[in-house]
Amino acid sequence: MQKISILLVAVLLSTATVVKGQNRDYAMAIHGGAGNVSQIENEPERAKLYYASLDSALMIGNNLLASGADGVEAVIAVLNYLENNPLFNAGKGATCTLEGTFELDAAIMEGKDLSAGAVAGVRIVKNPINAAYAVKQQTSHVLLSGTGAEAFAQEEGLELVDDMYFATPKTMEWIEQVKRESEKNGTVGCVVLDTKGNLTAGTSTGGMFKKRWGRIGDAPLIGAGTYADNNSCAISCTGHGEYFIRHAVAFHVCARYKYLGESLEEAAHHMIYQELNAEAGNGGLIAVGKERNITLPFNSSGMSRGYVYKDSGQSDIIKGIGIGEKIISSF
Ligand code: ASP
């Protein structure tokens, strides 16, 4: 069992956490959604639950990567954990449409061959990221939607649930008071550089609160909310999806890094702070680059997020989690 580096004090970093790459065995970053989440830090008991969940997600991915698993396996395991966790807006706990229904989106992409799979608007698939992976592996398509995607998931033997499975006491309250202003942000994402040097990105979400039924966000759109290319980086976005679609954010970060010679940090910051902003494109992204660097910028008040990596020749892993500005390595 690897020893975990523990800093006793919380370290204050800027909203854009950056970890420079070096001789690294593997690197992974996760997000649990952007938006008005920094207020969670003012509620210690609630914050503890979020930190514990982010930490568990990091350790699930870390243990797989440390044992030499492929990045795609780590991404799916991490996202399944977060989808099954009612704290996040993906799988169980997903936000609802204006009609009080649940419509989930997810995508996965592997940078080694640009293979990708996605589902949009699925109502009864327990783990949409598994359906996205099945689309990638079993079909010649990239994106399946609605009842067609559900029928495909059933054919693939994936677990189907009653649509009310996704509801939590909190979402039931929303459904009853769906006209009242409220919001839930908590899309989940995971990006990985594995020990073989392959990059993978995955994103899963219930979408935007009170979206119209049939609305599809950025998460399942390759190049908007999710992208991976071994010659560049792996990206998963969260935030106001319509803006992430218009700006093709995930692809642009990869392209700027690949073609303009910008660092991963510069490319990601350009998209989150220059092209988007808190009013037009509220949100953030997580990125892992081919040079094993990590950046996690957001223009919203917070983004629940984490990273873990292991440098070559070191027995310790380095990890950090945060919701608002602060990144901590223990809680
Ligand atoms: N980007 C997601 C969407 O627009 C929502 C989110 O990340 O909170 O569907």
Side-chain angles (χ1 to χ4, degrees), residues 227 229 231-232 251-262:
Y227 202 77
D229 175 356
N231 293 314
S232 179
F251 176 74
H252 266 115
V253 174
C254 280
R256 295 184 75 89
Y257 181 46
K258 185 169 165 179
Y259 301 121
L260 292 185
E262 290 181 348

Side-chain angles (χ1 to χ4, degrees), residues 4-274:
I4 298 165
S5 300
I6 295 178
L7 289 179
L8 292 175
V9 284
V11 186
L12 270 175
L13 295 178
S14 77
T15 47
T17 310
V18 178
V19 181
K20 299 276 181 238
Q22 42 184 292
N23 284 337
R24 199 156 281 170
D25 287 348
Y26 56 85
M28 181 180 97
I30 59 170
H31 70 71
N36 211 6
V37 288
S38 57
Q39 69 201 27
I40 296 167
E41 284 179 338
N42 303 328
E43 302 168 50
E45 284 311 308
R46 202 161 154 234
K48 236 173 157 176
L49 286 176
Y50 273 86
Y51 284 137
S53 297
L54 291 171
D55 195 63
S56 299
L58 281 184
M59 293 317 293
I60 288 168
N62 178 75
N63 294 344
L64 282 166
L65 293 169
S67 67
D70 285 344
V72 71
E73 195 186 329
V75 166
I76 289 171
V78 167
L79 293 183
N80 279 173
Y81 170 78
L82 292 168
E83 286 178 332
N84 295 343
N85 185 325
L87 286 182
F88 301 98
N89 174 20
K92 177 107 188 141
T95 197
C96 59
T97 67
L98 203 47
E99 285 71 28
T101 54
F102 300 95
E103 296 185 359
L104 289 74
D105 300 337
I108 190 157
M109 182 164 186
E110 286 196 75
K112 65 174 185 216
D113 55 4
L114 304 185
S115 62
V119 292
V122 291
R123 293 169 172 232
I124 54 168
V125 179
K126 184 178 178 210
N127 292 106
I129 197 70
N130 296 356
Y133 182 66
V135 170
K136 181 175 103 60
Q137 294 301 104
Q138 308 299 346
T139 78
S140 55
H141 309 307
V142 168
L143 173 62
L144 292 182
S145 72
T147 47
E150 290 165 355
F152 167 73
Q154 186 168 25
E155 275 167 38
E156 287 300 308
L158 299 181
E159 194 172 348
L160 301 184
V161 288
D162 182 89
D163 59 350
M164 289 316 282
Y165 158 83
F166 298 110
T168 62
K170 189 80 200 150
T171 44
M172 288 309 289
E173 216 179 275
W174 291 337
I175 291 170
E176 280 156 26
Q177 306 170 1
V178 82
K179 296 273 184 261
R180 214 183 62 195
E181 267 319 300
S182 180
E183 200 183 340
K184 176 161 181 160
N185 282 307
T187 293
V188 299
C190 180
V191 291
V192 160
L193 178 87
D194 66 20
T195 49
K196 299 168 190 87
N198 288 319
L199 287 158
T200 308
T203 315
S204 183
T205 186
M208 299 284 283
F209 179 59
K210 296 207 299 190
K211 64 184 181 181
R212 284 188 69 98
W213 74 273
R215 178 264 190 189
I216 292 168
D218 59 317
L221 301 185
I222 299 304
T226 309
Y227 202 77
D229 175 356
N230 268 16
N231 293 314
S232 179
C233 57
I235 306 286
S236 170
C237 302
T238 176
H240 194 156
E242 279 66 14
Y243 290 93
F244 283 76
I245 294 170
R246 290 178 195 146
H247 289 270
V249 171
F251 176 74
H252 266 115
V253 174
C254 280
R256 295 184 75 89
Y257 181 46
K258 185 169 165 179
Y259 301 121
L260 292 185
E262 290 181 348
S263 68
L264 183 66
E265 182 189 3
E266 285 165 344
H269 284 215
H270 179 88
M271 294 311 297
I272 294 299
Y273 303 119
Q274 307 294 318

